[in-house]
Amino acid sequence: MVQNFLNYYLKKVDSTNIKIKKIKEQNSDEENIALLAYNQTNGKGRSKNHWISNFGDLTCSFLINKKIEVNKLGQINIIISVSIIEALKEMFPKLIIKIKWPNDLYVENKKIGGILLESQISKNFVKYFIVGLGINIVTSPKVENYETTKILDYIKNIDLKKIFHLVGNRINENIYLWDKTSFEFFKNKWISFSKDIGSEVSIKNNNNFYTGNFETINEHGELVMNIKEKKKKSFSFGEIV
């Protein structure tokens, strides 16, 4: 059964992920929660990075009350990425959006958005998880390590609330579909959206660097790389540099 979100719309927050946790703490019901903030002043990125955004950019979070095994978190990350790209393709059908493993969104080899997945874990089970999403709509911040771009460079007349609802709907639909079908279905979709699969990449993992061919993702959502002497190595986390 698809469970719809209880939606919140706020003018300004420090972080949508932090705020949605507070809403969860104040709400004893097991409802899914979605939060759209029109201005986020202290957004969170992966690895304690700061997500830079301004008024008019998309900053939102989705809290999903679903009990899953911890070892399926990697699958959730893949399903969420697929859901977000599908929603954006529905909103912007002419825009070619790619995913950089594990969860960065790119257009024309420039970063346009990022996904942050957080979870509440108890006794080897995820009690609920939070999807934080930031997309450059009106601004493209200057970042030292990579180029950025924004939706406004390609498309005018953007409706933030419509994007927010499309993303939430697709997340709901795909999580429900995940229960009814195999992960292989979403794995193949993710591969079709991948920016780097089949290419040589370098990964930073625990301050170590590995270089090889990005072959595929496995059933855990891990990146599978062919390194020296055709040896395969899997990564559950890291950063393509």
Side-chain angles (χ1 to χ4, degrees), residues 14-55:
D14 291 340
S15 159
T16 58
N17 271 26
I18 291 174
K19 182 62 178 178
I20 208 168
K21 286 180 190 175
K22 292 179 180 178
I23 294 172
K24 166 68 175 174
E25 290 167 1
Q26 297 165 0
N27 186 347
S28 60
D29 295 331
E30 293 301 311
E31 291 182 283
N32 292 338
I33 303 167
L35 166 65
L36 172 64
Y38 291 98
N39 191 12
Q40 178 179 247
T41 59
N42 190 24
K44 298 172 65 178
R46 285 190 307 114
S47 304
K48 298 181 180 180
N49 291 329
H50 178 64
W51 180 260
I52 303 169
S53 61
N54 289 286
F55 182 83

Side-chain angles (χ1 to χ4, degrees), residues 29-147:
D29 295 331
E30 293 301 311
E31 291 182 283
N32 292 338
I33 303 167
L35 166 65
L36 172 64
Y38 291 98
N39 191 12
Q40 178 179 247
T41 59
N42 190 24
K44 298 172 65 178
R46 285 190 307 114
S47 304
K48 298 181 180 180
N49 291 329
H50 178 64
W51 180 260
I52 303 169
S53 61
N54 289 286
F55 182 83
D57 292 323
L58 180 72
T59 50
C60 56
S61 292
F62 304 88
L63 187 149
I64 294 95
N65 279 295
K66 183 174 178 62
K67 187 177 180 181
I68 61 171
E69 297 92 340
V70 170
N71 62 8
K72 289 188 175 180
L73 266 176
Q75 291 191 6
I76 283 289
N77 189 61
I78 297 301
I79 292 163
I80 293 301
S81 298
V82 166
S83 301
I84 290 169
I85 290 184
E86 286 180 337
L88 293 175
K89 283 180 174 292
E90 182 177 344
M91 186 78 179
F92 311 115
K94 294 183 179 180
L95 203 59
I96 299 174
I97 302 170
K98 294 290 185 178
I99 186 79
K100 177 184 175 184
W101 186 89
N103 48 21
D104 289 335
L105 304 172
Y106 274 71
V107 171
E108 295 184 352
N109 216 34
K110 298 175 183 178
K111 187 172 178 178
I112 203 164
I115 305 162
L116 177 65
L117 188 67
E118 298 185 271
S119 56
Q120 179 67 36
I121 297 173
S122 176
K123 296 180 180 178
N124 295 320
F125 280 91
V126 175
K127 295 172 64 179
Y128 66 83
F129 59 91
I130 297 171
V131 179
L133 174 62
I135 298 178
N136 302 332
I137 302 292
V138 298
T139 60
S140 49
K142 292 184 178 180
V143 181
E144 183 178 345
N145 299 326
Y146 52 84
E147 288 187 87

Side-chain angles (χ1 to χ4, degrees), residues 141-175:
K142 292 184 178 180
V143 181
E144 183 178 345
N145 299 326
Y146 52 84
E147 288 187 87
T148 69
T149 188
K150 59 184 183 293
I151 297 287
L152 201 60
D153 286 342
Y154 308 93
I155 296 162
K156 311 301 179 185
N157 302 318
I158 299 153
D159 187 335
L160 290 181
K161 190 176 284 189
K162 185 175 180 180
I163 303 172
F164 172 65
H165 287 301
L166 283 173
V167 170
N169 289 343
R170 193 53 64 99
I171 288 173
N172 262 333
E173 290 167 3
N174 281 342
I175 288 175

Side-chain angles (χ1 to χ4, degrees), residues 155-211:
I155 296 162
K156 311 301 179 185
N157 302 318
I158 299 153
D159 187 335
L160 290 181
K161 190 176 284 189
K162 185 175 180 180
I163 303 172
F164 172 65
H165 287 301
L166 283 173
V167 170
N169 289 343
R170 193 53 64 99
I171 288 173
N172 262 333
E173 290 167 3
N174 281 342
I175 288 175
Y176 177 75
L177 184 60
W178 180 44
D179 289 334
K180 303 296 180 182
T181 188
S182 68
F183 174 67
E184 192 78 11
F185 173 81
F186 293 101
K187 172 184 169 180
N188 290 335
K189 281 204 165 191
W190 190 97
I191 288 171
S192 73
F193 296 147
S194 172
K195 171 181 173 290
D196 299 302
I197 206 156
S199 302
E200 185 176 275
V201 296
S202 294
I203 290 185
K204 182 181 179 182
N205 177 274
N206 283 336
N207 294 319
N208 295 314
F209 290 86
Y210 303 85
T211 298

